[in-house]
């Protein structure tokens, strides 16, 4: 699954925001290789999206929104959608364009619009109306030409009828910090032959994070369990379903190695299609984060897409196309503070500039206001301690 | 990767903050990009902790009105910055204040004409909250070559009134 366009209003922290994950013309040089669908060379999409922004600026909310939508499409349960609603007194609107591969290996561009409103007369307390259209892509299509064949209707479909019609064959992988509800868990159930591969990946990740880790082996006695051995003879067993925070002997960053290895495995096996990796590397060395990011990119397959949110501005030194860097910030409009999005390629057309230099000078106007921090000193100076 | 081109703006208020943030990006940008913080350098002390967070070789741009403030505060701030080896300091003076600069560099005759406001505070609210201030300024024939170009060689800040100071932050 590849997301091409996303419009959100009254969704978590987002008010009237528009994300676009396509780019207008082929680049002469692109270090990410071909960023298009296989066999549809002009259908250009942003395969890699590095998402940056200060705290509370929507990085995790974007991941949760995508996750909630995927769950809603797959499970057809309205609560996955309703919990994304921010202000109950207003309607929530979502519009998404995405591509997925059909069973006949053709690509289908889908456009789904959803409107959720409070309605006390319904048992769920909410009315959900949807509109849906799709088109099979031709070999010479661009996103723009394919969109012309989509006819937007008004919200006239019941959501279950609409969801039954939607093509949504692909999976997704959302990884969030373990402080997020439900994410403090190592979860990977594999067939026996695949456990060896995962164990190898796990060892390479853990050993990079902590060279004292000597090996990772598949447990013969417990399903989906891995024995981690240290050079001083200690060992710990970790099995699918275990809480990450409960893993013994590992440092905070090394514990994240279990999630990181799971992500790498999933991308490498091309199980999911859409990956949202949200600030998973806050406890991990910058060089290791950058190495793993580039490995993930190399492993990404056709009709797949990676979102990678981080606070590490060193990532901005990487020679990706400008359209790969997306920033989230806040702006004051009519007395309201809103989240805004800006892509590096929106404001800078030269592709040979280092985005880090622009970021350091707050070219994207997303720098946090740290003046409150410095005011704390004044509290002590004023004798309020 | 050097940081020779880093710029830190300390500005009088939110209008200046918005103005610089709007005109430092995009194809029609005329100001050099930099971090902008509302800290009136003629009214508020730049603390040691604040100065220590500014990276070495950063150019510090002090933007302030000359109709109010205190020269002693400004001198103290300059001293603090220099103590932290921040020697590239540029003074951008609004003569006499931000609203006067806007009136001088546009076709309006009084600041209230821009948004049909009643008074300076009302104008500031509208300016700060405006969705597209660039196009609004265009409509009143904003001339960026006039903005912040006037030099006023009287008053307490006259020693820092330097002709052409704006060129240091104009995009080449």
């Amino acid at each position: 699954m590849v997301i091409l366009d996303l419009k959100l209003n009254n969704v978590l922290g987002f008010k009237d925001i528009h994300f676009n994950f396509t780019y207008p013309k082929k680049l002469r040089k692109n270090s990410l290789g071909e960023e298009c669908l296989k066999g549809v060379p002009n259908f250009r999409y942003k395969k890699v999206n590095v998402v940056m922004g200060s705290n509370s600026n929507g990085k995790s909310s974007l991941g949760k929104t995508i996750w909630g939508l995927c769950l809603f499409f797959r499970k057809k349960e309205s609560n996955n959608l309703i919990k994304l609603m921010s202000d109950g007194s207003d309607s929530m609107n979502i519009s998404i364009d995405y591509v997925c591969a059909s069973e006949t290996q053709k690509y289908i561009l889908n456009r789904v619009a959803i409107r959720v409103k409070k309605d006390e007369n319904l048992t769920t307390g909410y009315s959900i109306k949807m509109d849906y259209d799709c088109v099979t892509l031709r070999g010479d299509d661009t996103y723009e030409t394919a969109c012309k064949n989509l006819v937007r209707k008004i919200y006239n479909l019941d959501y279950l009828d609409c969801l039954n019609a939607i093509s949504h064959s692909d999976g997704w992988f959302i990884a969030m910090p373990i402080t997020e509800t439900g994410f403090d868990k190592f979860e990977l159930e594999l067939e026996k032959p695949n456990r060896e591969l995962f164990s190898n990946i796990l060892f390479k990740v853990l050993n990079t994070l902590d060279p004292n880790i000597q090996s990772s082996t598949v447990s013969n006695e417990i399903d989906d369990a891995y024995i981690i051995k240290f050079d001083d003879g200690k060992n710990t067993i970790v099995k699918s379903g275990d809480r990450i925070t409960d893993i013994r002997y590992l440092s905070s960053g090394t514990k994240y190695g279990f999630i990181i290895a799971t992500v790498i495995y999933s991308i490498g096996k091309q199980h999911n299609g859409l990956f949202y990796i949200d600030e998973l590397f806050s406890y991990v060395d910058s060089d290791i984060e950058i190495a793993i990011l580039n490995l993930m990119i190399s492993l990404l397959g056709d009709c797949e897409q990676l979102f990678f949110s981080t606070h590490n501005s060193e990532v901005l030194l990487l020679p990706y196309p400008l359209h790969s860097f997306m920033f989230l910030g806040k702006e004051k409009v009519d007395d309201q503070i809103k989240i805004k999005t800006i892509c590096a390629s929106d404001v800078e057309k030269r592709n040979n500039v280092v985005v880090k230099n622009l970021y350091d000078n707050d070219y994207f106007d997303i720098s946090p206001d740290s003046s409150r921090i410095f005011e704390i000193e004044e509290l002590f100076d004023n004798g309020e301690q | 990767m050097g940081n020779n081109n880093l710029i830190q703006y300390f500005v009088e208020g939110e209008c200046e903050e918005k103005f610089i943030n709007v005109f430092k990006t995009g194809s029609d940008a005329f100001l050099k990009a930099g971090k902008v913080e509302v800290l009136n350098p003629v009214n508020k002390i730049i603390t040691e902790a604040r100065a220590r967070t500014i990276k070495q070789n950063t150019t510090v741009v002090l933007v302030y009105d000359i109709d109010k403030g205190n020269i002693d505060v400004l001198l103290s701030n300059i001293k603090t910055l220099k103590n932290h080896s921040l020697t590239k300091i540029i003074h951008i003076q609004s003569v006499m204040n931000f609203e006067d600069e806007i009136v001088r560099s546009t076709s309006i005759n009084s600041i209230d004409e821009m948004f049909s406001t009643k008074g300076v505070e009302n104008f500031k609210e509208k300016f700060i909250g405006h969705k597209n201030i660039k196009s609004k300024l265009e409509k009143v024939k904003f001339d960026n070559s006039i903005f912040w170009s006037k030099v006023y060689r009287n008053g307490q800040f006259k020693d820092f009134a330097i002709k052409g100071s704006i060129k240091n932050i104009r995009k080449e």
Side-chain angles (χ1 to χ4, degrees), chain A residues 342-360:
Chain A
I342 187 162
C343 181
S345 58
D346 292 343
V347 288
E348 179 57 66
K349 301 299 172 200
R350 298 165 298 169
N351 224 352
N352 57 350
V353 297
V354 178
V355 181
K356 173 90 162 65
N357 291 350
L358 302 175
Y359 176 85
D360 283 344

Side-chain angles (χ1 to χ4, degrees), chain A residues 317 332-335 347 354 356-357 359-365 367 369-371 374-375 377-378, chain B residues 1 5-7 14 18 21 24-26 33-35 37 44 47 49-50 53 55 128-129 131 171:
Chain A
L317 289 167
K332 195 173 181 183
V333 177
D334 296 336
D335 279 343
V347 288
V354 178
K356 173 90 162 65
N357 291 350
Y359 176 85
D360 283 344
N361 260 329
D362 196 27
Y363 193 70
F364 309 107
D365 188 18
S367 184
D369 177 6
S370 48
S371 58
F374 300 112
E375 284 170 12
E377 198 177 350
E378 292 169 24
Chain B
M1 194 58 54
N5 300 316
L6 290 179
I7 294 178
E14 288 181 69
K18 173 139 187 175
N21 280 333
K24 73 183 183 186
T25 49
K35 288 189 178 174
E37 183 174 330
K44 196 163 179 183
T47 64
R50 182 69 197 88
T53 57
K55 289 174 184 159
I128 295 161
K131 277 181 196 165
K171 261 192 158 178

Side-chain angles (χ1 to χ4, degrees), chain A residues 3-52:
Chain A
I3 299 177
L4 305 156
D5 199 80
L6 185 63
K7 293 184 186 118
L8 306 170
N9 190 27
N10 194 24
V11 180
L12 298 176
F14 299 118
K15 290 171 197 157
D16 196 17
I17 195 164
H18 182 192
F19 301 95
N20 186 272
F21 304 112
T22 65
Y23 62 100
K25 60 180 182 183
K26 189 178 175 181
L27 306 175
R28 259 186 291 169
K29 265 169 69 177
N30 187 341
S31 65
L32 301 176
E34 295 283 305
E35 280 189 284
C36 59
L37 294 173
K38 198 175 173 186
V40 195
N42 296 324
F43 201 94
R44 292 174 287 270
Y45 72 95
K46 297 174 185 173
K47 197 163 189 164
V48 176
N49 297 276
V50 174
V51 185
M52 292 198 70

Side-chain angles (χ1 to χ4, degrees), chain A residues 285-311:
Chain A
D285 180 271
S286 168
D287 287 351
I288 298 174
E289 175 176 9
I290 285 168
I292 292 170
L293 169 61
N294 283 296
L295 170 68
M296 288 177 183
I297 291 169
S298 292
L299 295 173
L300 270 181
D302 178 43
C303 201
E304 293 195 322
Q305 191 175 34
L306 174 67
F307 293 85
F308 186 90
S309 89
T310 182
H311 283 290

Side-chain angles (χ1 to χ4, degrees), chain A residues 157-208:
Chain A
L157 290 175
D158 180 74
Y159 79 90
L160 281 174
D161 292 338
C162 189
L163 288 175
N164 287 329
I166 282 178
S167 57
H168 186 262
S169 56
D170 302 332
W172 64 88
F173 192 112
I174 310 287
M176 295 219 164
I178 56 179
T179 45
E180 291 286 342
T181 310
F183 286 91
D184 182 10
K185 201 190 267 186
F186 164 58
E187 206 162 24
L188 189 67
E189 291 175 9
L190 298 174
E191 299 292 322
K192 270 188 181 169
N194 288 328
R195 290 179 196 159
E196 203 58 49
L197 170 63
F198 177 73
S199 181
N200 278 332
I201 295 168
L202 183 63
F203 169 67
K204 288 182 192 302
V205 171
L206 292 181
N207 180 254
T208 305

